[in-house]
Amino acid sequence: MKFPTNVLLGLTLSLVSFPASADEGMWLFNDLPKAQLAEKYGFTPSEAWAEHVMRASVRFNSGGSASFVSSRGLVLTNHHVGADTLQKLSTAERNLLEDGFLAKTPAEELPAPDLELNQLVSIEDVTERVAAAVKEGMPAAEAMAARRAVTAKIEKESLEATGLRSDVVTLYGGARHHLYRYKKYTDVRLVWAPESGIAFFGGDADNFEYPRYCLDVCIFRVYEDGKPARIEHFLKVSAGGVSDGEVVFVSGNPGRTQRIFTVAALKYQRDHYLPFVLDYLRRREILWQQFGLEGEEQARRAKDDLLGIQNGRKALGGRLQGLQTPAFFAAKEAEEKELRQRIAGDEKLKQRGAAWQMIEDVQKRRKAALGRTGEFAGALYDIAQQLVFLSIEDQKPSGERLREYRDSARESLLQGLFSPAPIYPDKAKAELADSMALFMERRGGDDELVAKALDGKSPETRAAELIDGTRLTDVDYRKQLVSGGRRAIEASDDPMIRLARLMEPEARRLRQEQEELAEIEQQAYSQVADVLFAIHGTDTYPDATFTLRLAFGPVAGYRESGSVIPPWTTIGGAFEHEKRHGAKDPWILPKSWHAARSRLNPETPMDFVCTADIIGGNSGSPVVNREAELVGVVFDGNIQSLTANYFYSDEQARAVSVDVRLILEALRKVYNAGGLAGELGR
Amino acid sequence: MKFPTNVLLGLTLSLVSFPASADEGMWLFNDLPKAQLAEKYGFTPSEAWAEHVMRASVRFNSGGSASFVSSRGLVLTNHHVGADTLQKLSTAERNLLEDGFLAKTPAEELPAPDLELNQLVSIEDVTERVAAAVKEGMPAAEAMAARRAVTAKIEKESLEATGLRSDVVTLYGGARHHLYRYKKYTDVRLVWAPESGIAFFGGDADNFEYPRYCLDVCIFRVYEDGKPARIEHFLKVSAGGVSDGEVVFVSGNPGRTQRIFTVAALKYQRDHYLPFVLDYLRRREILWQQFGLEGEEQARRAKDDLLGIQNGRKALGGRLQGLQTPAFFAAKEAEEKELRQRIAGDEKLKQRGAAWQMIEDVQKRRKAALGRTGEFAGALYDIAQQLVFLSIEDQKPSGERLREYRDSARESLLQGLFSPAPIYPDKAKAELADSMALFMERRGGDDELVAKALDGKSPETRAAELIDGTRLTDVDYRKQLVSGGRRAIEASDDPMIRLARLMEPEARRLRQEQEELAEIEQQAYSQVADVLFAIHGTDTYPDATFTLRLAFGPVAGYRESGSVIPPWTTIGGAFEHEKRHGAKDPWILPKSWHAARSRLNPETPMDFVCTADIIGGNSGSPVVNREAELVGVVFDGNIQSLTANYFYSDEQARAVSVDVRLILEALRKVYNAGGLAGELGR
């Protein structure tokens, strides 16, 4: 599965890239490649088409994509995008993640504790206004402050004028700034989810593999004023589905790509960043595996985290493998060398040449900073840290605050802070203890801040004392601290708040350091982008930024190890796949599927692949045809697509989608949900 | 389970320690604590008692302990000590590790491909001769060479004079050197092993926990001249078993302890070495987990490695937790401070004070060297590397060679090199590819040696090419290369041999660096030992060195989280334990046990705990009573014992043993092996 983007530990920059292959590109909705589409596919998306697809697309702010699929607010996304909510709605007695859920009536639909869904409504270019605020020659810290201030101002003005969530998005490595306005939905309710056994059939073993046999979808409904929201732009369902070779369009929110990272930046990824993060992911994977061994309920509590970590480990491992392929690097080096030689000989561009060295210097500083941290892990510590930061940030004007504490982001921040989602003390202790042990490992046991944070105790003892002692599990107490402001925080004797206060200066210092590095990179990459615009023109797309993009390409199989992988799998194939693996975990189809087997048409398409250019964050993206009808839902890329962060290829890399015909067949024949199936597209 | 010591990634030094608690100590057989035993337990081991127990004890050279238990060569050890052989004797069709084995007749006993068992026959103090060779003021490299030369000479003379395996063992951090002579057994055959489901009941979850319910034993037989060996010293079996509070003796080969490491050395362990090794172990754990996902046969192939890694990860994690407990460090620091103040005020000892600084300096160099490596992982690379080193070392006199290539070690070396144990190409590729990727991560993708080793390919591609291309799976080809000497190695176009030749200078350089550091530490610690001898006297035991030691203490339960943990578990308890965990993996008792349940006496003792001072390497150690009768077999320590590397405690830390009464009951009633049961002790 593609991972929700917020946990991808992604990089912070958006970069420009130039399509080398025909179907490459994660295109901006206000700058679609019309000429290219017309030439290659004889299709020119009209303004109305683009507007409709854009407004029918939904972003899960927690990291993921989705679409409106009915006039009464139904939202279709991946099971693994909804998994966080399924986990939060589950208890020891009712495991929705594992066993699935169906609301038979609207009254049975389950409110998600903290989802925020965004519908993109408009895009406005504000590059000039942002650029005017940052003067040439400003030191990084000052430039950063100026950029932060103007950005906050633009967003606040827009919010006040329109009432819409307003985000300034940095594109092309800083060369462009666009203002995205979203309609927000925060009353989101669970309608239907299948069992994880079919949503994630084949588990970690099949993840990123193809052929696949997954029904990785679930359905929510957005409400307004306590009633199902009226949705104007929703996707109709394609009656006949899609056919082999037909071009399809993917409208979703790819997380982060690094397509035109300089060679120095890629080397930092290869030799330092990715190995470092992978060590961390393996540590967390073992942590949750071990926690799950303590009992069935513990395994349930850790399940969603474990799946996420395993997915990240496999995805980043694939990226690292790509970077460890010398041929890839040789090509990048040759390309960069040629470009720099060309600049050196160009009077106008010459001065931009320094950007590459700036980027290389930043990598050295990034390397030195790897592993430095001023915070601990786990929901309760996160809450404490946010409360402490909020109390301090709120004493400054909005434009001077850290980004997530600015006025225009307040609603989203508080929704998370006041989430009633369950927090399990045993799990919180394991997580906090491990992060305290890691903090000690990284700074050394003699470090002064380590000694203060641990208060003379071992990580396990200290974590247990903190979790047992904190009142932050109580949402009312959090509210009380927010409304009490800085005075309440300073007066609080809650041990977790005290710990977060102790850590705050270090956390702030390290964050400042990171943001300054990002600012320097942004300035450098915007020069790189200028060079590329000057040489290649501007008919291109920026690197992904977890904002809405359109990708496209035909449904197409591929060759692997000498055999041809067909584009489709079928329901019949799923049963065969189960049998081939001896019906052992993770290849056990749910009981509901075995019970329904005789009713199911084994020829029904299950999953299919296409060449559209996607990445983590695209999970749940609708796949539509030329008529803007829904034909599928993206849920994964194959193993060959894992290097898509750095380059696009249509040789073997494929996006993997659930076929809409499977969704209809399963709803009707497995889940006895004909009513819901009938509502799709209406 | 306690881990075989050779994979414990242990430290290389043996250190002196001074018993603080009554039952502390891993005592030398030529220096038993007679006064202490007489005083506390009213028992004085006679020379004959000591000689008998010593000669009835067996060392698995692959890492583990055991005992002779019949006059016709039966050897009793842990299932997890025999696991490596069980794995090597298994095939896709016959999984001995999982399903167990019983030879009904001697003809059915299965020859182990590469086991070497050692029986300690004598100990001789050669301190003066070694000390005389190393002159004061010699630089580390020179001192190391001198020590290596005199050691090789002593061993060779002894081997030639006695025909016995002869090892000079460095004790008390270098203050003493003893010559150990062993009778070797290399024709070792498998007689009986239970299913892993009962040997390792509760799996990784129960590992290092107590109460436990494991039959972690198996039985081999040693042969001489094709017939069962005649054994003079073997253990009788205690008829009544042992009782609560009774003192017992553990005779085995503890691997490595670090009891009087200086504070600086412990800090290096805490802040650098253990975190580093744990990252590596987690990486390997995930590697084998992922490999096992590819299919049942792959899971079988990786099983033994996976178990070993999981065990090591848990054991080292426990050690790190101990070191991350500030109270532990405060005590160590106070102790060291007092000692050094005392030395500073003592005219005679004053000059020894520099030793602590020497040790601290070495830690800095160790830290800088962490992760530097000149070799890859996997059986085939190991073989290639040994062949290349052997061809070079053989051109030097024995005393100048690296230790494992000296004349007196030749037989053991060749037994390993020519092992017919199966090597699976798919597993070998996964292991080699991962170690090549790691090599690239550690040195960086631009490193020249990385480029040469990978030959311009990705780690996966290169590993596949090497494994597919090498002929080293063929034992005859290995023999040919050994007999052909350096010329044959240099002429070989085998790609794995070529790779090992490419790597040899770097591997040698790094090894030399490590050995020089060890030499400096040895000199420093022998001064520390002198100081301790001067202050506390010499009535003590040295740190563990994977040589035979005697530990002792009563059978005793303990208190944990307010409850009393009784010393015994029973067969009935095992069935209850299974039920409590819903009979889910890893808590599934074998079918044979369910079939035999009605015949089994549920009151039969299963496992028991005692306070004897043990560590990894003690696995399989016989536990005997005052009459030198077998009462149990050590197979684990509880979680509280994991800090035994650094200190002994009898508050909660316990050695966990299989009760001999369980072995007899199971052989007779579960395994239909009454004949074998009857042979035990006769």
Side-chain angles (χ1 to χ4, degrees):
Chain A
M1 59 187 167
K2 286 287 166 182
F3 206 64
T5 190
N6 62 331
V7 266
L8 250 185
L9 302 147
L11 293 154
T12 49
L13 274 172
S14 150
L15 302 170
V16 67
S17 184
F18 291 85
S21 299
D23 295 334
E24 178 176 348
M26 300 167 174
W27 300 88
L28 297 169
F29 265 81
N30 55 341
D31 195 11
L32 294 179
K34 289 180 184 167
Q36 193 179 320
L37 282 168
E39 190 193 319
K40 187 152 183 208
Y41 297 107
F43 172 70
T44 306
S46 66
E47 290 296 321
W49 188 97
E51 170 95 3
H52 176 65
V53 172
M54 178 178 98
R55 289 191 176 233
S57 300
V58 172
R59 182 174 77 169
F60 270 60
N61 202 30
S62 54
S65 300
S67 55
F68 288 125
V69 288
S70 90
S71 60
R72 284 180 300 147
L74 288 186
V75 174
L76 176 65
T77 186
N78 287 150
H79 185 271
H80 75 269
V81 170
D84 176 56
T85 297
L86 294 172
Q87 176 89 4
K88 285 172 176 168
L89 290 172
S90 294
T91 62
E93 293 73 36
R94 187 182 68 168
N95 190 343
L96 304 186
L97 187 62
E98 199 81 11
D99 303 330
F101 174 78
L102 175 67
K104 298 226 175 65
T105 65
E108 284 180 14
E109 295 176 3
L110 298 176
D114 49 21
L115 278 182
E116 177 188 319
L117 270 46
N118 297 148
Q119 176 200 32
L120 180 59
V121 169
S122 72
I123 306 175
E124 184 186 331
D125 192 330
V126 294
T127 305
E128 280 186 31
R129 210 172 146 191
V130 175
V134 182
K135 313 283 181 232
E136 253 198 69
M138 272 185 177
E142 207 177 310
M144 205 175 74
R147 201 184 297 273
R148 189 188 278 171
V150 70
T151 299
K153 190 149 186 275
I154 293 169
E155 290 171 346
K156 195 174 181 179
E157 284 171 13
S158 168
L159 172 67
E160 281 166 3
T162 64
L164 296 169
R165 171 176 175 145
S166 302
D167 297 345
V168 172
V169 177
T170 299
L171 300 164
Y172 301 101
R176 298 283 184 280
H177 302 273
H178 291 179
L179 174 63
Y180 278 58
R181 291 195 187 88
Y182 299 97
K183 180 163 170 56
K184 280 198 324 189
Y185 293 90
T186 53
D187 185 350
V188 184
R189 306 189 190 174
L190 179 65
V191 177
W192 168 73
E195 305 91 334
S196 63
I198 186 67
F200 195 41
F201 184 52
D204 186 33
D206 275 6
N207 195 16
F208 297 117
E209 304 293 336
Y210 199 75
R212 283 290 280 288
Y213 307 87
C214 294
L215 177 61
D216 189 356
V217 291
C218 63
I219 296 176
F220 290 90
R221 191 192 300 277
V222 291
Y223 279 69
E224 282 185 305
D225 306 321
K227 276 176 282 185
R230 283 278 149 202
I231 301 297
E232 189 190 343
H233 292 281
F234 60 90
L235 298 175
K236 306 254 186 262
V237 174
S238 162
V242 72
S243 48
D244 196 358
E246 181 181 345
V247 67
V248 292
F249 302 86
V250 175
S251 173
N253 302 274
R256 298 283 167 194
T257 52
Q258 295 84 32
R259 296 252 166 112
I260 62 144
F261 261 27
T262 64
V263 168
L266 290 172
K267 285 184 179 174
Y268 168 70
Q269 294 263 311
R270 178 191 66 189
D271 295 339
H272 306 290
Y273 178 76
L274 288 173
F276 173 84
V277 177
L278 279 161
D279 269 343
Y280 179 70
L281 290 177
R282 286 185 289 251
R283 178 189 185 108
R284 301 278 291 190
E285 183 167 357
I286 301 288
L287 174 72
W288 293 133
Q289 283 182 0
Q290 290 288 305
F291 182 73
L293 288 178
E294 288 173 27
E296 249 179 90
E297 172 59 8
Q298 281 82 1
R300 185 192 71 76
R301 292 175 181 185
K303 182 75 181 280
D304 184 43
D305 281 339
L306 180 59
L307 290 180
I309 296 288
Q310 288 179 324
N311 186 64
R313 184 251 308 141
K314 210 161 173 178
L316 267 63
R319 277 171 60 182
L320 180 56
Q321 278 183 20
L323 293 182
Q324 287 188 331
T325 300
F328 169 77
F329 249 88
K332 278 277 172 188
E333 277 169 311
E335 200 181 280
E336 183 167 303
K337 195 175 166 194
E338 199 210 312
L339 183 69
R340 293 181 72 176
Q341 277 171 349
R342 199 158 152 186
I343 301 167
D346 184 314
E347 269 316 308
K348 265 201 267 176
L349 297 175
K350 216 166 167 178
Q351 55 175 10
R352 308 281 189 202
W356 277 264
Q357 188 58 49
M358 281 167 72
I359 292 165
E360 188 169 341
D361 292 344
V362 169
Q363 308 314 310
K364 283 181 204 137
R365 293 175 63 187
R366 286 205 182 280
K367 181 188 161 191
L370 259 187
R372 280 188 208 150
T373 177
E375 57 190 33
F376 300 111
L380 288 167
Y381 185 82
D382 285 351
I383 290 167
Q385 187 182 38
Q386 282 184 44
L387 290 169
V388 168
F389 267 85
L390 178 64
S391 74
I392 297 171
E393 294 298 292
D394 264 1
Q395 303 197 310
K396 308 172 189 168
S398 178
E400 290 176 21
R401 296 180 208 150
L402 293 170
R403 200 158 157 68
E404 65 273 32
Y405 299 98
R406 69 200 192 280
D407 287 341
S408 60
R410 181 56 43 101
E411 246 181 68
S412 303
L413 180 79
L414 293 184
Q415 198 196 2
L417 255 180
F418 299 155
S419 168
I423 293 171
Y424 301 105
D426 54 353
K427 181 163 175 274
K429 281 178 195 172
E431 190 167 15
L432 184 58
D434 185 68
S435 81
M436 291 189 136
L438 181 60
F439 189 64
M440 198 183 214
E441 288 175 28
R442 286 180 177 166
R443 296 179 75 110
D446 289 344
D447 180 80
E448 209 180 318
L449 187 58
V450 169
K452 282 186 190 160
L454 288 169
D455 197 24
K457 292 155 193 130
S458 71
E460 289 67 37
T461 308
R462 178 68 169 139
E465 168 188 278
L466 286 160
I467 301 291
D468 290 337
T470 185
R471 290 169 58 201
L472 291 173
T473 40
D474 175 5
V475 175
D476 286 335
Y477 184 57
R478 298 178 211 162
K479 288 184 178 163
Q480 214 176 296
L481 288 173
V482 169
S483 65
R486 187 150 184 184
R487 190 167 305 208
I489 290 291
E490 282 177 2
S492 170
D493 60 357
D494 188 280
M496 200 70 88
I497 292 287
R498 284 180 171 229
L499 177 65
R501 280 181 56 205
L502 169 74
M503 302 292 289
E504 182 270 334
E506 181 69 356
R508 186 179 290 279
R509 189 183 69 75
L510 291 170
R511 175 154 177 183
Q512 175 76 15
E513 194 177 288
Q514 286 299 312
E515 294 195 349
E516 280 183 35
L517 294 181
E519 173 66 31
I520 299 169
E521 276 187 326
Q522 185 167 146
Q523 293 183 8
Y525 275 116
S526 88
Q527 297 194 28
V528 172
D530 282 348
V531 167
L532 292 168
F533 287 148
I535 294 175
H536 299 290
T538 55
D539 192 10
T540 184
Y541 67 96
D543 258 308
T545 49
F546 194 45
T547 50
L548 197 66
R549 303 293 179 90
L550 192 73
F552 57 86
V555 173
Y558 55 101
R559 295 188 70 85
E560 187 177 3
S561 318
S563 27
V564 175
I565 314 283
W568 265 284
T569 61
T570 63
I571 287 183
F575 284 97
E576 279 164 36
H577 195 60
E578 182 191 41
K579 198 174 158 195
R580 206 161 38 241
H581 287 91
K584 286 193 177 167
D585 184 43
W587 291 278
I588 304 171
L589 287 168
K591 282 185 194 136
S592 62
W593 279 69
H594 282 283
R597 186 166 183 178
S598 62
R599 293 191 296 277
L600 290 164
N601 175 2
E603 300 303 319
T604 308
M606 194 143 187
D607 300 337
F608 69 87
V609 287
C610 69
T611 66
D613 190 1
I614 62 147
I615 196 81
N618 265 117
S619 283
S621 299
V623 186
V624 301
N625 60 20
R626 293 166 200 234
E627 281 71 44
E629 294 167 338
L630 185 74
V631 296
V633 180
V634 167
F635 74 99
D636 205 359
N638 64 359
I639 204 106
Q640 291 90 344
S641 78
L642 289 176
T643 45
N645 279 75
Y646 311 113
F647 60 91
Y648 171 84
S649 160
D650 61 5
E651 196 187 328
Q652 293 185 305
R654 291 292 180 277
V656 186
S657 301
V658 175
D659 195 295
V660 74
R661 290 167 285 188
L662 172 71
I663 301 174
L664 295 173
E665 179 87 352
L667 281 175
R668 289 185 181 124
K669 298 190 183 166
V670 181
Y671 298 102
N672 196 17
L676 181 59
E679 197 188 331
L680 294 185
R682 281 156 205 252
Chain B
M1 60 186 168
K2 286 286 164 182
F3 207 64
T5 190
N6 64 330
V7 266
L8 249 184
L9 301 149
L11 292 154
T12 50
L13 272 172
S14 149
L15 301 169
V16 65
S17 184
F18 291 85
S21 299
D23 295 334
E24 179 176 348
M26 300 167 175
W27 300 88
L28 297 171
F29 265 81
N30 54 343
D31 194 12
L32 294 179
K34 291 181 185 168
Q36 195 178 319
L37 283 169
E39 191 191 319
K40 189 152 184 209
Y41 297 107
F43 172 69
T44 307
S46 66
E47 292 296 321
W49 188 97
E51 170 93 4
H52 176 66
V53 172
M54 178 178 97
R55 288 190 177 233
S57 300
V58 173
R59 183 174 76 170
F60 270 60
N61 201 29
S62 53
S65 301
S67 55
F68 287 126
V69 288
S70 89
S71 60
R72 286 182 298 146
L74 287 185
V75 174
L76 176 65
T77 186
N78 287 150
H79 185 271
H80 74 270
V81 170
D84 176 57
T85 298
L86 294 171
Q87 176 89 2
K88 286 173 176 166
L89 291 173
S90 293
T91 62
E93 294 73 35
R94 188 182 68 169
N95 190 344
L96 303 186
L97 187 64
E98 200 81 10
D99 303 330
F101 175 77
L102 175 66
K104 298 226 174 67
T105 64
E108 285 180 16
E109 295 176 5
L110 297 175
D114 49 20
L115 278 183
E116 177 187 319
L117 270 46
N118 298 147
Q119 176 201 31
L120 180 59
V121 168
S122 74
I123 306 175
E124 184 187 330
D125 192 329
V126 293
T127 304
E128 280 185 31
R129 211 172 146 193
V130 174
V134 182
K135 313 282 181 234
E136 255 200 67
M138 274 185 176
E142 206 178 310
M144 205 175 74
R147 200 185 296 274
R148 190 187 279 170
V150 69
T151 299
K153 192 149 182 276
I154 293 169
E155 290 171 347
K156 194 174 181 181
E157 284 171 12
S158 168
L159 171 66
E160 282 167 2
T162 64
L164 296 169
R165 172 176 173 145
S166 301
D167 297 346
V168 172
V169 177
T170 299
L171 300 165
Y172 299 102
R176 298 285 184 278
H177 301 274
H178 291 180
L179 174 62
Y180 278 57
R181 292 196 187 89
Y182 299 97
K183 182 163 168 55
K184 282 197 324 189
Y185 293 91
T186 51
D187 184 353
V188 185
R189 306 189 190 174
L190 178 64
V191 178
W192 168 72
E195 306 90 336
S196 63
I198 186 66
F200 196 42
F201 184 53
D204 186 33
D206 275 5
N207 194 16
F208 297 116
E209 305 293 338
Y210 199 77
R212 283 289 279 289
Y213 307 87
C214 293
L215 177 62
D216 189 355
V217 289
C218 62
I219 296 178
F220 289 91
R221 192 192 299 277
V222 291
Y223 279 68
E224 281 186 304
D225 305 321
K227 278 177 281 186
R230 282 278 148 202
I231 301 296
E232 190 190 339
H233 292 281
F234 61 88
L235 297 176
K236 307 253 184 265
V237 173
S238 162
V242 72
S243 49
D244 196 357
E246 181 181 344
V247 66
V248 292
F249 303 86
V250 175
S251 174
N253 303 274
R256 298 282 168 194
T257 53
Q258 296 85 30
R259 295 250 166 114
I260 61 145
F261 260 27
T262 64
V263 167
L266 290 172
K267 284 183 178 173
Y268 168 70
Q269 294 265 311
R270 178 191 68 190
D271 296 339
H272 306 291
Y273 178 75
L274 288 173
F276 172 84
V277 177
L278 280 161
D279 269 343
Y280 179 70
L281 290 177
R282 285 185 289 252
R283 178 190 185 106
R284 301 278 290 189
E285 184 167 355
I286 301 288
L287 173 73
W288 294 133
Q289 283 182 1
Q290 291 288 306
F291 182 73
L293 288 178
E294 288 173 25
E296 250 178 90
E297 171 58 8
Q298 281 82 0
R300 185 192 70 75
R301 292 176 181 184
K303 182 74 181 280
D304 184 43
D305 281 340
L306 180 60
L307 291 179
I309 296 288
Q310 287 179 325
N311 186 64
R313 184 250 308 140
K314 209 161 173 178
L316 267 64
R319 277 171 60 181
L320 180 56
Q321 277 182 20
L323 293 181
Q324 287 188 332
T325 301
F328 168 77
F329 248 86
K332 278 276 171 190
E333 276 168 321
E335 200 181 281
E336 182 167 303
K337 195 176 165 193
E338 199 210 312
L339 182 69
R340 293 181 71 174
Q341 277 170 351
R342 201 158 151 186
I343 301 168
D346 183 316
E347 271 315 308
K348 267 200 267 178
L349 295 177
K350 215 168 172 177
Q351 56 176 12
R352 309 280 189 204
W356 277 264
Q357 189 57 50
M358 279 167 73
I359 292 164
E360 189 168 341
D361 292 344
V362 168
Q363 308 314 310
K364 283 181 203 137
R365 292 176 62 188
R366 286 204 183 281
K367 180 186 160 192
L370 260 186
R372 281 189 208 148
T373 177
E375 58 190 31
F376 300 111
L380 288 167
Y381 186 81
D382 286 350
I383 290 167
Q385 188 182 38
Q386 283 184 41
L387 290 170
V388 168
F389 269 84
L390 178 64
S391 73
I392 298 171
E393 294 299 291
D394 263 0
Q395 303 198 310
K396 307 173 190 167
S398 178
E400 289 176 22
R401 295 180 207 150
L402 293 170
R403 199 158 158 71
E404 65 273 32
Y405 299 99
R406 69 198 191 281
D407 288 340
S408 60
R410 181 56 44 100
E411 246 182 67
S412 302
L413 180 79
L414 293 185
Q415 199 197 1
L417 256 180
F418 299 154
S419 168
I423 293 172
Y424 301 105
D426 55 352
K427 182 163 174 273
K429 281 178 195 173
E431 191 166 14
L432 184 59
D434 185 68
S435 81
M436 291 189 136
L438 181 59
F439 188 64
M440 197 182 214
E441 288 176 27
R442 287 181 177 167
R443 296 179 75 109
D446 289 345
D447 180 79
E448 208 181 317
L449 187 57
V450 168
K452 281 187 189 158
L454 288 169
D455 196 24
K457 292 155 192 129
S458 72
E460 289 66 38
T461 308
R462 178 68 170 140
E465 168 187 277
L466 285 160
I467 301 291
D468 289 337
T470 185
R471 289 169 59 201
L472 291 174
T473 39
D474 175 5
V475 175
D476 286 335
Y477 183 58
R478 298 179 211 160
K479 288 185 178 163
Q480 214 175 296
L481 287 173
V482 168
S483 64
R486 187 150 183 187
R487 191 167 305 206
I489 291 291
E490 283 177 0
S492 171
D493 61 356
D494 188 280
M496 200 71 87
I497 292 287
R498 284 180 170 227
L499 177 65
R501 281 181 56 203
L502 169 74
M503 301 293 287
E504 182 269 336
E506 181 69 354
R508 186 179 290 278
R509 188 182 71 74
L510 291 169
R511 176 153 176 185
Q512 174 76 16
E513 194 176 288
Q514 286 300 310
E515 292 195 350
E516 281 184 34
L517 293 180
E519 173 66 31
I520 299 169
E521 275 186 328
Q522 186 169 146
Q523 294 182 8
Y525 275 117
S526 90
Q527 298 195 29
V528 172
D530 282 348
V531 167
L532 293 168
F533 287 148
I535 293 175
H536 297 292
T538 56
D539 192 12
T540 184
Y541 66 96
D543 258 309
T545 49
F546 194 45
T547 50
L548 197 67
R549 303 294 179 87
L550 192 74
F552 57 86
V555 172
Y558 55 101
R559 295 189 71 86
E560 188 178 3
S561 317
S563 26
V564 174
I565 314 284
W568 265 283
T569 61
T570 62
I571 287 182
F575 284 97
E576 279 164 35
H577 195 60
E578 182 191 40
K579 197 174 160 194
R580 206 161 38 239
H581 287 90
K584 287 195 177 165
D585 184 41
W587 291 278
I588 305 171
L589 287 169
K591 283 184 194 139
S592 62
W593 279 70
H594 282 284
R597 184 166 185 178
S598 62
R599 294 190 297 277
L600 289 164
N601 175 1
E603 299 303 319
T604 308
M606 193 143 188
D607 300 337
F608 69 87
V609 287
C610 69
T611 66
D613 191 1
I614 60 146
I615 196 82
N618 266 117
S619 282
S621 298
V623 186
V624 301
N625 61 19
R626 292 165 199 235
E627 282 71 45
E629 294 166 338
L630 185 74
V631 297
V633 180
V634 167
F635 73 98
D636 205 359
N638 64 0
I639 204 109
Q640 292 89 347
S641 78
L642 288 175
T643 46
N645 280 73
Y646 311 114
F647 61 92
Y648 171 85
S649 160
D650 61 6
E651 197 187 327
Q652 294 185 303
R654 293 291 181 275
V656 186
S657 302
V658 176
D659 195 295
V660 75
R661 289 167 285 189
L662 171 70
I663 301 173
L664 294 173
E665 180 86 353
L667 281 176
R668 289 186 181 123
K669 299 189 181 165
V670 181
Y671 298 102
N672 194 19
L676 182 59
E679 195 188 332
L680 293 185
R682 284 156 204 249

